[in-house]
C-alpha cells in the first residue's frame, strides 16, 4: 500500500481576484509557495507595486502536514482580514499557498463584519480563478560520484526514476535529484551502497 502522507492540494499557478464594496477595492493575489522566504518576497513586491494602497493583508500555509501558517491584518481591526483570508485557504484544504489582499479605501468604513466578508470574498475569488492540483512533498538532494561509478548510479536511478536536473558528467560527476518524500529514504539507501557516492541535502 502506497503511503500518501506526502500528498497535498495546492494552487497550480498565479491568479487574481477582486471585490468592491462602498468605494473600497479589494485586490486578491494568490500563488503556490513552498518557503517563508517566497512569502516575504511576494509580499514585499506587492507592497512596492501597490505602494499607495492602505492595507496589504496576507495569509499562508505551508507543508503537507499544514502545521506552518500565519496571517496578518496589516493595520485592519484585529481578526477582520487576515483570518478570513486564511479561512479560505483552510476551507479549500490547500497548503503551500499564499494569498495577499490589497485594499484601496473608498472613504466609507465597512465595519468588522463588512471587512470579514470583503477579504473572505476577494480571497475566494482568487482561488476560484485558479486550478487546484494534487502535489507531493519532495525529497531533494545532490549526489556526487566519480565517473567510474556512473553505471551503478544510473542503474539505481533507472529503478526509482527520480527527477534529474543540473547534471554534470566529468571525472567527478553530480546530479540534483528530487523524488516523493515517502520514497526518498529508500532511494538514498540504494545510492549510499554505491561506492564513492556522496549525498547532500537540498530541501
Amino acid at each position: 500500500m502506497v503511503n500518501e502522507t506526502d500528498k497535498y492540494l495546492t494552487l497550480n499557478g498565479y491568479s487574481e481576484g477582486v471585490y468592491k464594496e462602498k468605494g473600497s477595492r479589494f485586490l486578491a493575489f494568490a500563488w503556490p509557495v513552498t518557503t517563508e522566504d517566497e512569502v516575504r518576497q511576494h509580499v514585499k513586491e506587492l507592497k512596492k507595486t501597490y505602494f499607495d494602497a492602505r492595507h496589504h493583508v496576507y495569509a499562508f500555509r505551508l507543508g503537507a502536514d499544514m502545521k506552518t501558517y500565519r496571517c496578518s491584518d496589516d493595520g485592519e481591526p484585529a481578526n477582520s482580514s487576515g483570518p478570513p483570508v486564511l479561512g479560505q485557504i483552510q476551507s479549500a484544504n490547500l497548503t503551500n499557498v499564499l494569498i495577499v489582499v490589497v485594499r484601496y479605501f473608498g472613504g466609507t468604513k465597512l465595519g468588522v463584519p463588512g471587512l470579514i466578508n470583503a477579504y473572505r470574498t476577494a480571497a475566494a475569488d482568487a482561488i476560484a480563478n485558479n486550478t487546484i492540483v494534487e502535489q507531493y512533498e519532495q525529497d531533494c538532494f545532490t549526489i556526487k560520484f566519480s565517473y567510474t561509478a556512473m553505471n551503478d548510479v544510473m542503474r539505481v536511478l533507472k529503478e526509482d526514476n527520480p527527477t534529474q536536473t543540473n547534471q554534470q558528467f566529468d571525472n567527478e560527476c553530480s546530479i540534483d535529484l528530487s523524488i516523493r518524500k515517502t520514497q526518498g529514504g529508500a532511494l538514498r539507501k540504494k545510492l549510499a551502497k554505491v561506492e564513492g557516492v556522496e549525498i547532500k541535502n537540498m530541501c
Side-chain angles (χ1 to χ4, degrees), residues 60-112:
F60 68 89
R61 183 157 67 171
L62 301 175
D65 60 8
M66 304 184 185
K67 291 182 178 179
T68 301
Y69 57 89
R70 193 166 303 132
C71 61
S72 168
D73 291 310
D74 193 39
E76 292 281 32
N79 300 319
S80 68
S81 49
V85 175
L86 179 61
Q88 290 306 298
I89 295 174
Q90 294 169 331
S91 293
N93 199 31
L94 301 175
T95 192
N96 284 358
V97 165
L98 163 68
I99 299 178
V100 184
V101 181
V102 175
R103 181 190 184 188
Y104 283 93
F105 184 55
T108 301
K109 291 185 177 181
L110 303 181
V112 171

Side-chain angles (χ1 to χ4, degrees), residues 20 33 37 66 73 79 105 119 145 154 157 182 200:
K20 298 177 182 179
V33 292
D37 283 341
M66 304 184 185
D73 291 310
N79 300 319
F105 184 55
Y119 281 101
F145 53 95
M154 289 303 171
L157 297 186
T182 50
K200 182 180 179 182

Side-chain angles (χ1 to χ4, degrees), residues 16-181:
E16 299 180 4
V18 64
Y19 180 77
K20 298 177 182 179
E21 177 74 19
K22 296 180 180 177
S24 283
R25 287 186 298 137
F26 299 81
L27 310 178
F29 307 86
W31 295 267
V33 292
T34 56
T35 68
E36 292 194 45
D37 283 341
E38 288 181 76
V39 170
R40 284 189 286 269
Q41 188 61 35
H42 284 308
V43 173
K44 181 180 177 182
E45 288 174 0
L46 276 184
K47 285 185 175 181
K48 186 176 179 180
T49 301
Y50 298 92
F51 62 90
D52 55 342
R54 178 166 290 195
H55 304 284
H56 303 79
V57 169
Y58 68 88
F60 68 89
R61 183 157 67 171
L62 301 175
D65 60 8
M66 304 184 185
K67 291 182 178 179
T68 301
Y69 57 89
R70 193 166 303 132
C71 61
S72 168
D73 291 310
D74 193 39
E76 292 281 32
N79 300 319
S80 68
S81 49
V85 175
L86 179 61
Q88 290 306 298
I89 295 174
Q90 294 169 331
S91 293
N93 199 31
L94 301 175
T95 192
N96 284 358
V97 165
L98 163 68
I99 299 178
V100 184
V101 181
V102 175
R103 181 190 184 188
Y104 283 93
F105 184 55
T108 301
K109 291 185 177 181
L110 303 181
V112 171
L115 289 173
I116 290 172
N117 179 64
Y119 281 101
R120 180 176 58 210
T121 305
D125 193 40
I127 293 172
N129 291 332
N130 214 307
T131 302
I132 295 175
V133 293
E134 276 188 358
Q135 296 280 8
Y136 297 95
E137 262 194 315
Q138 297 291 301
D139 185 6
C140 314
F141 53 95
T142 299
I143 56 171
K144 295 184 177 181
F145 53 95
S146 66
Y147 191 79
T148 57
M150 173 78 73
N151 287 341
D152 291 334
V153 168
M154 289 303 171
R155 191 177 299 113
V156 172
L157 297 186
K158 187 176 181 180
E159 289 175 0
D160 289 57
N161 198 31
T163 299
Q164 304 177 40
T165 56
N166 296 329
Q167 298 173 334
Q168 294 183 10
F169 300 128
D170 207 332
N171 288 336
E172 292 298 319
C173 307
S174 68
I175 309 175
D176 291 347
L177 303 174
S178 63
I179 191 169
R180 281 185 63 173
K181 199 162 191 176

